[in-house]
Amino acid sequence: MKTIISITDLEKFYSTDEVRTIALNKLSFKVNEGEFVAIMGPSGCGKSTLLNILGLLDDPDGGSFIFNDIEVSDFNERKRANLRKHNIGFVFQSFNLIDELTVYENVELPLIYTGVKPDERKKRVEEVLEKMQIMHRRKHFPQQLSGGQQQRVAVARAVVNNPKLILADEPTGNLDSSNGNEVMDLLTELNEAGTTIIMVTHSEHDAKYSHRIIRMLDGQKVTENVLV
Amino acid sequence: MFKNYFKIALRNLQKNRLYASINIFGLAIGLASCMLIGLYIVNELSYDKFNEKANRIVRATMEYKLADEVNFAATTGTKVGPEFARTFPRIEEYVRTFISSSNVKYDNKLFNEDRILFADPPFFKMFSFNLLQGNAESVLDAPNKIVLTQSMARKYFGDENPINKTITVIGKEMIVSGICEDSPKNSQIKFDFVTQFLNLGNNVKEEQWWTANWITYFLLNNDENINQLEQQINAYMQTDAIRSQVGSVGESYLNYHLQPLLDVHLKSDLAGFEPNGNMTYIYIFIIISLLILLIASANYTNLATAQSASRSGEIGMRKVMGASKRQVFLQFISESTTITFIAAGLALFVSVLVIPYFNTITGKEFTRLELLQPIPITLLFLFCIIVSFLAGLYPALVLSGAEIMGVLKKGFRCTGGNGLLKKSLIVGQFAISVFLIIYTMVILQQMDFIQNKNLGYNKDHVVVLPIGGDMQNNFEAFKDGLKLVSGVQSVTASYETPEFVEWGDGVNVVDENGEHNISINAMPIDLDFINTLGMEMASGRDFIQSDFALMDTTNNRANYQQPYLINETLAKQIGWTPDEAIGRIISNRALGPVVGVVKDFNFSSLHEPVGPLLMFLGRDFSRNYMVRISNSDVQGTLGRLESFWNERTNGRPFNYHFLDEDYNALYQAEQRSAILFSVAAGLAVILACLGLFGLAAFTTVQRTKEIGIRKTLGANLSNIMLLISKNFLVLVTVAIIIASPLAFWAAKKWLQNFTYRIEPEWYVFIIAAIVTLFITFLTVGYHSIRAAMANPTKSLRTE
């Protein structure tokens, strides 16, 4: 199976005036296409930092990061943005929907930024809203939806561009258990359809949906369990 | 993509109505001022450009030296036109002009008209006033021909065709030979009727270098090397033959300058038929409108930047989904553009609404329709684009440049460097406001000083009645009749009214110290002048009836003596004390004794010091009666004067004016700047406070949690108010410190235009500072009180 992500000796530091904190300490692992990987660890272990680097939102301070056969660790913001918008979808704990846009418009936004034509946009947005069962809510604003619904919109937005990779940062953190399970089911479905998923979570329950769990501590990988 | 930006922009406006209204209102005011002022400037710059031959037309102005003094005048003698046209082949045509008033009668319609233009026949060939009927070559080719403007044709003839009809003007029957369009508003020559220059009477038929009352224009064969022609004219004027014609001896000379027609309105110091525009005035206008726009833009920048915290999530997500820096930048620029264009719509509406007031300030006559023409609309559009970038640039740059990680994790706060910008903008806004407040206060104080200054005469309750037609023949009887009207206290007459004496002259004195030739202003007056105007004598007496006996015209004037009054300054210049002057013989029109010395009074604008003045008994020169009336029942007295007038003048219109109005008219430009600055200062303060109001609202929201905690820990109302207001008050204080010396300097500079002026008082600065701080405190106080009164548990829960 093809490797989609390969990181080697990845490093990231945060510096304030007096203290230099190591967020990632020579971290290495690989993720294959179609895998569902959960990353776990206590707060401050570097999970989110890792996710941001994998999501091309942030750049590493050292080491190598090969995404889809391309070395991206030295990419500038522009190149990263370009690669990101075509290949990666994000789901956040706090949904991060844009309040001023309706459900429909929120989901449409990534397609606008990737330059998809209006007809095609309409078709794809409606398709994905149907699939997420929130078509009837398409004219509502985020504040008018429940948390579960908001996260479904966020997932719809993450997948509307058919990304190769979905990065989920505690996707069920703000949801009750039934809504949480629904979102996990959604992610599983997407994974079964071929999308690679990397999910950061505190929840052992959610982690069980994945194929492999990477546990981290102090910016380093501690263990790696394969579940299936 | 842009559709999406605008959608977001509109929804944001709806969501933040307070900020949106502050921004839209402020920008609308700023844009409206810019648009109106743009209109004004376009009009000023377009002066006389409608003349197709404008580049080849010049105005001749006079420079002469007499009695050690060099003088300049826009008016010239009757000889200048014909003599130069004969002498210099480059001059194709000359036109001498004069504007006067006269009664105009057609059928049973009789009006007094103020704009009758007397001009040499090539007038319509030289200038491009559009003749609707009649031929430019022939409309003025006979003395009995007259051209009417469209409005006058309508006024006197209604629907009739006026051509070849007879109309009575200046007491003569004239034939209407042409109709022209009303003179454009941007023309230095504005008229209602045009007839031949020679119709002014016998005194203009002879060619004279002096008696310079006429404005002369030349049409040259090309527009090159006007200087060279001017030099040739200078050389010609200095030839012995001409010098002896002119009567120049020794150092004295008479010379002419050629001013391009297009330079007259804005670049000449010499006014022609109307007061000239002034480039300084234009610059002041531009600066003020830009300052107001700047304040409004600063409000936008500040409020948009302050709101960035609440926009951080959105920006972060847009970037996560692949929005480039450029796209986010464009989005925020689109927002400022949306707001600016909404403001522009409102600005257009506001402009249409305030145009009458604007006309009062500028003395122009813009119509509402003129605002909707392509030029002002284009101006507005241009300003919109500029403001969209000016105001939106910083927030757009900051927000689009925000690090994506920072935005997603902590939310985005403008701190550090950005706070400095916010502070600088507030300081800037208030510095402008304080500057304008102080400057305006000084202008207003000076205007008050001008109006209340002791001028050396009493300008209040003096009615000025113009003498015309055959009234001169019944001068005394008419004057005596006026004295009998109930409410009239005394009556005199003079050539000019005392607030602005223009008659230039010279006086020759021979005494024990030798011979003096002194340049003076002269004023022919009638009896009772000193008394009627409430002047004071330094020595001697006013003219009396028996003085007429001195002016003995029998025996070929062999014993003619002209009695004189002089002012203190003249006495001093000759070297006499007021008492010494009495009985001395001086010579102006003729030899004669000084019968009195008048205490100095201001007979020209307060921009100038009081100069030497000579008054001679000259009833025949009188152009105005001046009637002092009692200050009770002014309307009743005016009514009785009018009935008397109608009874005695055979239908002459009763056009009176008050002396103090004439006086105030001298300071029209200053009055206008006073109004302009008051309005500008008011707007600046309102806009700056609006911005502050918005920011205070924002700060309070941002600090809700902090305020909650402080209250929980025991802070009281005044602690909280101080907490919120302190920063703003400090900034405004800094603004006051910056603006005060600048305003002091600018006000000093403005005051230097006046010989008679106030000194900027220290308390003006204190008042400006207190007022500004107080307004700031009120503005910010509203929010701080609200924040301080709120239940702390509630504010803590919201976080």
Side-chain angles (χ1 to χ4, degrees):
Chain A
M1 198 166 277
K2 192 180 171 233
T3 304
I4 187 166
I5 284 175
S6 166
I7 56 172
T8 317
D9 294 338
L10 203 64
E11 289 179 304
K12 181 77 183 173
F13 312 111
Y14 290 113
S15 306
T16 59
D17 291 345
E18 282 152 18
V19 194
R20 188 162 185 245
T21 320
I22 301 175
L24 295 178
N25 189 1
K26 295 199 178 294
L27 184 66
S28 306
F29 65 80
K30 284 182 183 168
V31 178
N32 290 329
E33 250 181 17
E35 257 197 297
F36 187 158
V37 178
I39 296 174
M40 300 191 71
S43 293
C45 71
K47 305 185 295 283
S48 293
T49 305
L50 174 64
L51 204 65
N52 289 332
I53 292 175
L54 295 181
L56 299 168
L57 296 174
D58 204 358
D59 52 349
D61 294 324
S64 147
F65 172 20
I66 295 169
F67 180 85
N68 213 15
D69 298 336
I70 307 165
E71 176 62 58
V72 295
S73 56
D74 53 353
F75 269 26
N76 62 18
E77 163 64 24
R78 202 177 147 139
K79 277 177 154 175
R80 289 207 305 263
N82 209 23
L83 198 59
R84 182 169 72 225
K85 68 184 173 191
H86 288 106
N87 294 293
I88 305 172
F90 291 85
V91 178
F92 295 93
Q93 176 177 359
S94 52
F95 325 135
N96 279 337
L97 297 175
I98 295 176
D99 290 342
E100 286 77 15
L101 296 182
T102 61
V103 166
Y104 182 96
E105 288 159 355
N106 262 292
V107 177
E108 188 190 21
L109 207 51
L111 298 177
I112 293 178
Y113 286 128
T114 43
V116 177
K117 297 252 166 15
D119 302 350
E120 174 72 9
R121 287 210 298 261
K122 185 162 184 287
K123 205 180 108 209
R124 276 162 68 176
V125 173
E126 283 175 357
E127 220 172 77
V128 75
L129 288 177
E130 246 3 308
K131 199 160 130 195
M132 302 290 157
Q133 298 170 6
I134 37 175
M135 189 61 181
H136 61 295
R137 291 286 201 171
R138 67 184 183 284
K139 287 185 178 160
H140 287 76
F141 286 93
Q143 313 87 287
Q144 298 166 310
L145 305 181
S146 72
Q149 286 170 328
Q150 286 192 44
Q151 196 60 303
R152 285 224 293 276
V153 177
V155 174
R157 186 177 61 179
V159 301
V160 69
N161 241 344
N162 295 324
K164 288 194 169 67
L165 171 67
I166 286 181
L167 297 173
D169 193 352
E170 309 235 17
T172 63
N174 283 4
L175 300 176
D176 60 30
S177 62
S178 79
N179 274 319
N181 287 340
E182 258 181 51
V183 167
M184 288 315 299
D185 288 339
L186 261 176
L187 291 177
T188 311
E189 266 175 50
L190 288 170
N191 178 247
E192 280 165 1
T195 313
T196 312
I197 294 180
I198 300 177
M199 174 179 73
V200 164
T201 183
H202 277 122
S203 153
E204 293 291 345
H205 171 79
D206 288 356
K208 283 182 188 141
Y209 285 85
S210 69
H211 305 154
R212 177 155 65 112
I213 301 174
I214 296 174
R215 289 180 197 273
M216 288 177 64
L217 185 66
D218 296 340
Q220 286 176 308
K221 187 170 78 181
V222 192
T223 59
E224 199 176 325
N225 328 28
V226 179
L227 300 177
V228 270
Chain B
M1 181 81 77
F2 279 98
K3 199 175 130 207
N4 185 280
Y5 295 161
F6 286 118
K7 201 153 54 188
I8 281 264
L10 286 174
R11 287 184 191 155
N12 257 311
L13 288 184
Q14 278 175 354
K15 200 167 139 193
N16 300 307
R17 288 202 188 88
L18 174 70
Y19 309 126
S21 353
I22 290 174
N23 279 327
I24 290 173
F25 176 76
L27 289 173
I29 299 288
L31 286 171
S33 357
C34 283
M35 185 180 173
L36 287 172
I37 284 166
L39 191 65
Y40 170 83
I41 291 166
V42 167
N43 174 281
E44 284 286 283
L45 295 179
S46 71
Y47 243 75
D48 298 312
K49 287 203 174 132
F50 67 93
N51 287 297
E52 285 155 23
K53 297 173 186 164
N55 289 332
R56 290 163 50 204
I57 304 175
V58 294
R59 181 176 80 163
T61 61
M62 184 162 78
E63 178 189 337
Y64 59 98
K65 187 172 177 190
L66 274 181
D68 291 339
E69 202 180 338
V70 180
N71 292 293
F72 296 88
T75 49
T76 51
T78 46
K79 189 163 181 137
V80 176
E83 175 82 4
F84 290 179
R86 282 190 296 263
T87 315
F88 302 100
R90 277 200 62 191
I91 297 178
E92 284 185 3
E93 304 274 10
Y94 69 89
V95 171
R96 295 164 297 177
T97 55
F98 187 71
I99 288 178
S100 178
S101 66
S102 158
N103 282 355
V104 175
K105 187 168 182 287
Y106 174 73
D107 216 4
N108 55 358
K109 289 178 186 153
L110 171 69
F111 297 99
N112 187 278
E113 297 292 353
D114 286 331
R115 302 201 304 185
I116 297 166
L117 173 68
F118 295 82
D120 284 315
F123 179 75
F124 283 100
K125 286 196 290 178
M126 190 186 287
F127 296 98
S128 309
F129 296 101
N130 196 7
L131 274 171
L132 302 169
Q133 294 192 59
N135 179 334
E137 299 282 342
S138 63
V139 280
L140 293 176
D141 65 0
N144 64 341
K145 287 190 172 180
I146 190 160
V147 176
L148 272 63
T149 60
Q150 235 174 341
S151 310
M152 289 301 122
R154 216 172 298 126
K155 178 172 171 185
Y156 286 89
F157 295 92
D159 295 334
E160 280 179 73
N161 184 357
I163 294 293
N164 291 329
K165 297 248 161 54
T166 303
I167 184 167
T168 310
V169 185
I170 50 165
K172 278 189 197 170
E173 306 224 309
M174 300 223 188
I175 300 198
V176 179
S177 57
I179 306 293
C180 73
E181 272 178 18
D182 289 1
S183 32
K185 284 175 199 155
N186 53 1
S187 169
Q188 60 177 282
I189 311 175
K190 296 190 179 80
F191 57 85
D192 295 319
F193 300 84
V194 193
T195 184
Q196 272 200 356
F197 181 72
L198 295 180
N199 281 332
L200 279 166
N202 288 331
N203 59 333
V204 301
K205 291 196 172 126
E206 189 191 339
E207 290 184 7
Q208 292 183 26
W209 288 112
W210 297 104
T211 316
N213 291 320
W214 333 110
I215 294 182
T216 307
Y217 296 95
F218 291 115
L219 178 66
L220 310 181
N221 59 357
N222 62 53
D223 57 4
E224 288 155 28
N225 275 328
I226 293 175
N227 280 341
Q228 195 188 358
L229 177 61
E230 195 175 289
Q231 281 162 15
Q232 287 167 4
I233 288 177
N234 283 353
Y236 180 69
M237 291 307 296
Q238 298 327 313
T239 55
D240 291 342
I242 297 295
R243 276 179 67 84
S244 88
Q245 264 185 34
V246 167
S248 295
V249 283
E251 300 240 305
S252 68
Y253 62 80
L254 171 63
N255 200 359
Y256 293 91
H257 298 280
L258 301 179
Q259 281 182 335
L261 183 74
L262 296 180
D263 286 354
V264 170
H265 182 67
L266 285 176
K267 295 184 185 157
S268 172
D269 294 333
L270 300 169
F273 290 119
E274 57 175 19
N276 279 337
N278 187 334
M279 280 314 277
T280 320
Y281 213 30
I282 289 192
Y283 293 137
I284 290 179
F285 262 62
I286 294 179
I287 290 171
I288 285 192
S289 58
L290 290 184
L291 286 181
I292 290 177
L293 200 59
L294 218 59
I295 292 182
S297 302
N299 278 350
Y300 182 90
T301 305
N302 264 347
L303 290 176
T305 316
Q307 280 180 76
S308 55
S310 57
R311 300 292 294 272
S312 58
E314 175 198 334
I315 304 157
M317 266 331 285
R318 283 179 185 273
K319 288 201 155 190
V320 167
M321 284 179 297
S324 65
K325 194 171 164 172
R326 201 178 120 256
Q327 282 166 322
V328 176
F329 178 82
L330 277 179
Q331 182 192 338
F332 282 93
I333 287 292
S334 319
E335 286 198 14
S336 62
T337 311
T338 311
I339 290 215
T340 313
F341 275 85
I342 294 174
L346 189 62
L348 197 59
F349 178 72
V350 171
S351 311
V352 166
L353 223 58
V354 303
I355 198 127
Y357 306 100
F358 184 69
N359 284 338
T360 317
I361 301 178
T362 56
K364 297 272 175 196
E365 293 166 5
F366 295 116
T367 60
R368 301 204 150 116
L369 213 61
E370 273 170 272
L371 273 176
L372 306 173
Q373 299 301 310
I375 289 180
I377 299 290
T378 314
L379 274 173
L380 185 66
F381 186 80
L382 279 178
F383 274 115
C384 277
I385 302 288
I386 295 170
V387 168
S388 303
F389 275 86
L390 187 74
L393 187 67
Y394 181 74
L397 272 178
V398 169
L399 291 169
S400 63
E403 278 295 321
I404 191 165
M405 289 311 301
V407 168
L408 277 180
K409 277 197 137 164
K410 299 170 218 99
F412 180 72
R413 287 268 153 102
C414 280
T415 48
N418 310 324
L420 187 68
L421 181 92
K422 181 179 85 180
K423 286 175 189 162
S424 318
L425 287 178
I426 294 177
V427 169
Q429 287 180 315
F430 276 86
I432 294 172
S433 307
V434 172
F435 176 90
L436 288 173
I437 291 176
I438 295 175
Y439 196 69
T440 308
M441 281 173 71
V442 173
I443 292 184
L444 290 176
Q445 280 192 323
Q446 171 70 15
M447 292 317 289
D448 184 65
F449 169 78
I450 287 174
Q451 260 148 31
N452 297 313
K453 180 183 184 301
N454 181 358
L455 298 169
Y457 65 93
N458 180 358
K459 65 184 188 305
D460 299 322
H461 301 110
V462 175
V463 183
V464 180
L465 298 170
I467 298 173
D470 57 356
M471 286 169 70
Q472 192 62 257
N473 303 336
N474 300 310
F475 182 89
E476 253 190 296
F478 197 91
K479 188 179 168 190
D480 291 339
L482 282 172
K483 282 189 208 162
L484 295 176
V485 173
S486 153
V488 170
Q489 293 175 334
S490 66
V491 182
T492 186
S494 65
Y495 176 74
E496 291 173 296
T497 45
E499 86 287 352
F500 200 65
V501 175
E502 286 184 291
W503 181 315
D505 216 320
V507 67
N508 176 274
V509 182
V510 182
D511 67 0
E512 56 278 15
N513 302 322
E515 184 176 349
H516 314 262
N517 279 306
I518 300 174
S519 270
I520 51 156
N521 285 96
M523 199 180 181
I525 59 173
D526 189 37
L527 300 181
D528 307 317
F529 186 80
I530 301 297
N531 166 35
T532 304
L533 290 165
M535 293 174 179
E536 282 179 52
M537 300 301 297
S539 68
R541 56 163 175 84
D542 191 3
F543 293 127
I544 51 176
Q545 188 68 40
S546 60
D547 287 337
F548 283 112
L550 293 173
M551 297 152 74
D552 178 6
T553 52
T554 60
N555 204 4
N556 211 9
R557 296 190 167 220
N559 299 315
Y560 186 92
Q561 277 202 311
Q562 177 76 51
Y564 295 105
L565 289 173
I566 61 174
N567 72 349
E568 287 173 306
T569 302
L570 178 54
K572 201 166 152 200
Q573 280 199 9
I574 300 172
W576 298 331
T577 65
D579 290 330
E580 284 166 4
I582 305 302
R584 299 283 192 135
I585 302 296
I586 61 174
S587 170
N588 166 257
R589 322 191 64 68
L591 286 172
V594 174
V595 301
V597 178
V598 183
K599 282 200 174 166
D600 278 346
F601 65 94
N602 290 96
F603 60 86
S604 65
S605 121
L606 298 183
H607 292 292
E608 314 289 337
V610 175
L613 177 76
L614 173 110
M615 289 178 280
F616 62 89
L617 190 54
R619 180 173 276 179
D620 298 343
F621 289 92
S622 297
R623 291 197 304 189
N624 302 290
Y625 286 112
M626 285 182 283
V627 182
R628 172 164 298 284
I629 61 172
S630 148
N631 59 7
S632 60
D633 192 23
V634 171
Q635 282 313 314
T637 308
L638 283 175
R640 287 187 290 278
L641 280 173
E642 186 172 7
S643 345
F644 172 78
W645 179 274
N646 291 338
E647 215 171 276
R648 301 287 280 270
T649 60
N650 212 355
R652 246 185 116 68
F654 181 64
N655 290 333
Y656 72 93
H657 43 110
F658 281 102
L659 189 57
D660 55 352
E661 290 168 0
D662 299 351
Y663 174 77
N664 288 340
L666 287 180
Y667 304 98
Q668 208 182 30
E670 286 82 3
Q671 291 283 10
R672 282 182 188 150
S673 357
I675 301 174
L676 177 70
F677 275 101
S678 308
V679 172
L683 285 179
V685 172
I686 291 173
L687 290 182
C689 283
L690 270 179
L692 207 56
F693 188 79
L695 272 183
F698 207 87
T699 311
T700 323
V701 172
Q702 266 186 338
R703 297 175 80 171
T704 308
K705 188 173 180 188
E706 178 194 343
I707 293 168
I709 294 170
R710 282 174 187 269
K711 279 193 76 175
T712 320
L713 298 176
N716 61 21
L717 182 80
S718 50
N719 298 142
I720 301 291
M721 280 183 67
L722 191 67
L723 177 77
I724 300 285
S725 317
K726 198 177 63 192
N727 291 337
F728 291 114
L729 288 173
V730 167
L731 293 178
V732 172
T733 309
V734 172
I736 292 170
I737 293 170
I738 293 174
S740 298
L742 288 175
F744 180 77
W745 174 79
K748 268 283 213 200
K749 201 145 172 79
W750 183 79
L751 285 170
Q752 270 162 14
N753 292 320
F754 293 89
T755 306
Y756 300 91
R757 57 176 182 247
I758 54 160
E759 281 298 306
E761 300 277 1
W762 60 270
Y763 64 80
V764 168
F765 297 86
I766 304 289
I767 291 175
I770 291 175
V771 166
T772 315
L773 285 172
F774 184 69
I775 294 177
T776 308
F777 190 72
L778 280 187
T779 310
V780 180
Y782 169 78
H783 292 293
S784 20
I785 290 178
R786 255 178 42 153
M789 304 280 272
N791 182 344
T793 56
K794 207 170 162 189
S795 56
L796 285 176
R797 249 201 327 261
T798 56
E799 275 288 299

